[in-house]
Amino acid sequence: MKIKEIVSVLEEMAPLAYAEDFDNVGLLVGDQEAEATGILVCHDALENIIDEAMAKKCNLVVCFHPILFSGLKKITGKNYVERAVIKAIKNDITIYAVHTALDNHQEGVNKIFCDALGLVNTKILIPKQNYIRKLVTYTIPENAEEVRNALFDAGAGTIGNYENCSFNSKGIGTYMGNEHSNPQVGERFEFVQGDEIKIEVTFEKHLENKILKALFRSHAYEEVAYEIYDLQNQHQNIGLGMIGELKNPMKEKEFLLFAKEKMQADGIRHSNFIGKEIKKVAVLGGAGSFAIKNAIRAGADAYLTADLKYHQFYEAENRLLLADIGHFESERYTKNYIVEYLRKKILNFAVILSEENSNPVKYL
């Protein structure tokens, strides 16, 4: 199996188009045309992880955090990033990162976080904006079903929990071909007027090329008339953070001790207790200070995230319990999810969970 085949599976799990603009996801180091010998899944692709990959005969490292986040002007081995990259290149180790592509997925980082806490009735906290497009096309009635099905198969027409969604309306189409035309209906220079079906479907923008190929392949006309629009709708199933409910309400201290145990945190920093029972909980794996107001607006009783600064705890405004459980801790089960996903998709192939703990934060 070539590495590029595994990359295709990873992109099904966490489409690169889901990633935030600031991020650096996908294939970071290595040759995707190489034959894969094994996959090592980790949180951070540090130098000791590359050593572990070599020892376990894995030439593909799949990490959550990208070891290459900003540009490198020199690679001299002067810091931990450069040393890891140099060692990977010297030993033909490929590195692939998922990061916010998996953060934004409805089954990704924050759903894993929610599941660890046993939250139910979960939904995206900050739905992704400007990600939905609409395709409008026109064809003869005899061709409409074939076109619709081709668009559905390419990924169009999914809205929330529903698939194969479209709107179809009848109308009258007109055209007249020139000397270079080869019309499906009528002759060159003939004014044709006939029944047509207008088909409208929405789709995620990263699927546009695939959907257009399906449209052109299935359409009866020589020249396919179509329009694509950007929609302002939020994508309810893609976005950062998640909010859900505890099955049974808890007192604030009880909840924090519960979260500490479930997320295996060595310590939790939190805002003032306000005497509020915790039922509705918002989470955001990694640095999530930017979403405090979103958690408040969503009616959360508590918001769990990481990397909060001193003054950001004031932003709780005595309206919710704000807690920093640690960056690594908030994402700790993500690598387990990746391993389980790959093992289901790639049978009879070594997919190994790293034994290294890459958390750089230690506690007394």
Side-chain angles (χ1 to χ4, degrees):
M1 174 178 287
K2 289 193 173 184
I3 287 174
K4 67 180 180 182
E5 297 175 73
I6 300 169
V7 166
S8 295
V9 175
L10 289 166
E11 291 181 6
E12 289 175 7
M13 178 189 73
L16 299 185
Y18 285 10
E20 296 297 304
D21 292 340
F22 64 80
D23 205 4
N24 188 32
V25 295
L27 194 67
L28 304 182
V29 175
D31 179 11
Q32 68 174 355
E33 295 295 334
E35 289 290 329
T37 60
I39 307 168
L40 181 69
V41 179
C42 65
H43 204 79
D44 300 276
L46 305 174
E47 192 176 3
N48 61 332
I49 298 293
I50 305 303
D51 289 331
E52 183 183 12
M54 292 162 56
K56 294 177 177 175
K57 302 187 185 310
C58 297
N59 66 345
L60 173 60
V61 171
V62 176
C63 53
F64 179 64
H65 288 140
I67 187 69
L68 288 172
F69 193 75
S70 53
L72 292 178
K73 292 185 178 180
K74 299 178 181 178
I75 305 179
T76 61
K78 68 180 180 182
N79 60 44
Y80 75 97
V81 173
E82 294 178 11
R83 288 192 294 273
V85 171
I86 289 171
K87 182 166 282 192
I89 293 172
K90 279 185 174 180
N91 293 281
D92 295 323
I93 305 292
T94 299
I95 301 176
Y96 185 100
V98 294
H99 206 209
T100 58
L102 194 55
D103 274 315
N104 278 311
H105 198 288
Q106 65 175 336
E107 297 296 330
V109 175
N110 296 296
K111 182 60 163 62
I112 298 163
F113 198 164
C114 287
D115 289 346
L117 296 172
L119 301 185
V120 296
N121 303 323
T122 56
K123 63 180 182 180
I124 299 294
L125 180 64
I126 309 175
K128 202 166 183 65
Q129 304 273 4
N130 304 316
Y131 201 75
I132 303 174
R133 290 179 178 170
K134 176 188 273 192
L135 169 72
V136 179
T137 191
Y138 313 81
T139 190
I140 53 177
E142 297 84 354
N143 182 226
E145 184 176 0
E146 181 181 355
V147 169
R148 269 196 309 270
N149 289 338
L151 296 174
F152 294 154
D153 288 344
T158 297
I159 303 175
N161 295 321
Y162 295 84
E163 298 178 352
N164 296 359
C165 303
S166 69
F167 186 80
N168 304 266
S169 51
K170 294 180 180 179
I172 302 297
T174 66
Y175 58 84
M176 183 172 66
N178 62 22
E179 67 271 21
H180 303 296
S181 67
N182 184 26
Q184 173 76 14
V185 178
E187 303 293 335
R188 296 173 185 171
F189 305 110
E190 178 187 356
F191 179 77
V192 177
Q193 177 175 296
D195 292 337
E196 285 192 332
I197 302 295
K198 179 181 180 182
I199 302 171
E200 303 177 59
V201 291
T202 58
F203 62 92
E204 295 178 3
K205 67 178 184 181
H206 73 278
L207 296 173
E208 183 170 322
N209 287 339
K210 184 178 179 182
I211 284 167
L212 288 179
K213 286 179 182 177
L215 173 64
F216 298 148
R217 186 174 59 250
S218 61
H219 206 288
Y221 287 172
E222 180 184 26
E223 297 287 353
V224 180
Y226 70 96
E227 303 146 26
I228 291 177
Y229 302 97
D230 286 320
L231 302 182
Q232 296 299 310
N233 306 49
Q234 294 180 332
H235 196 308
Q236 60 184 310
N237 287 334
I238 301 174
L240 291 168
M242 196 160 273
I243 188 164
E245 297 175 345
L246 291 166
K247 292 178 181 177
N248 299 299
M250 297 184 187
K251 300 293 184 182
E252 290 165 297
K253 185 175 181 180
E254 177 190 5
F255 170 71
L256 289 180
L257 291 173
F258 167 79
K260 182 179 179 181
E261 176 192 354
K262 293 297 183 181
M263 304 308 294
Q264 300 179 43
D266 288 321
I268 294 182
R269 300 156 62 230
H270 62 85
S271 61
N272 287 331
F273 288 152
I274 55 177
K276 188 178 187 179
E277 268 201 337
I278 306 300
K279 173 70 173 177
K280 201 169 185 180
V281 179
V283 305
L284 198 152
S289 62
F290 63 90
I292 295 171
K293 289 182 174 60
N294 298 87
I296 292 172
R297 283 196 294 269
D301 303 312
Y303 175 43
L304 299 184
T305 187
D307 298 351
L308 297 176
K309 296 180 180 179
Y310 175 89
H311 290 95
Q312 289 167 340
F313 284 95
Y314 287 125
E315 296 180 29
E317 296 280 7
N318 290 322
R319 297 176 65 182
L320 85 173
L321 177 62
L322 180 58
D324 183 332
I325 70 166
H327 194 121
F328 176 86
E329 288 79 2
S330 68
E331 301 167 340
R332 72 157 56 248
Y333 300 117
T334 302
K335 62 182 181 180
N336 303 71
Y337 172 85
I338 296 170
V339 167
E340 291 170 8
Y341 184 93
L342 290 176
R343 285 176 177 170
K344 288 177 183 176
K345 294 288 184 175
I346 306 173
L347 304 178
N348 303 318
F349 194 83
V351 182
I352 300 171
L353 179 65
S354 173
E355 297 176 13
E356 297 288 336
N357 182 346
S358 61
N359 187 3
V361 181
K362 307 302 176 185
Y363 300 87
L364 284 174

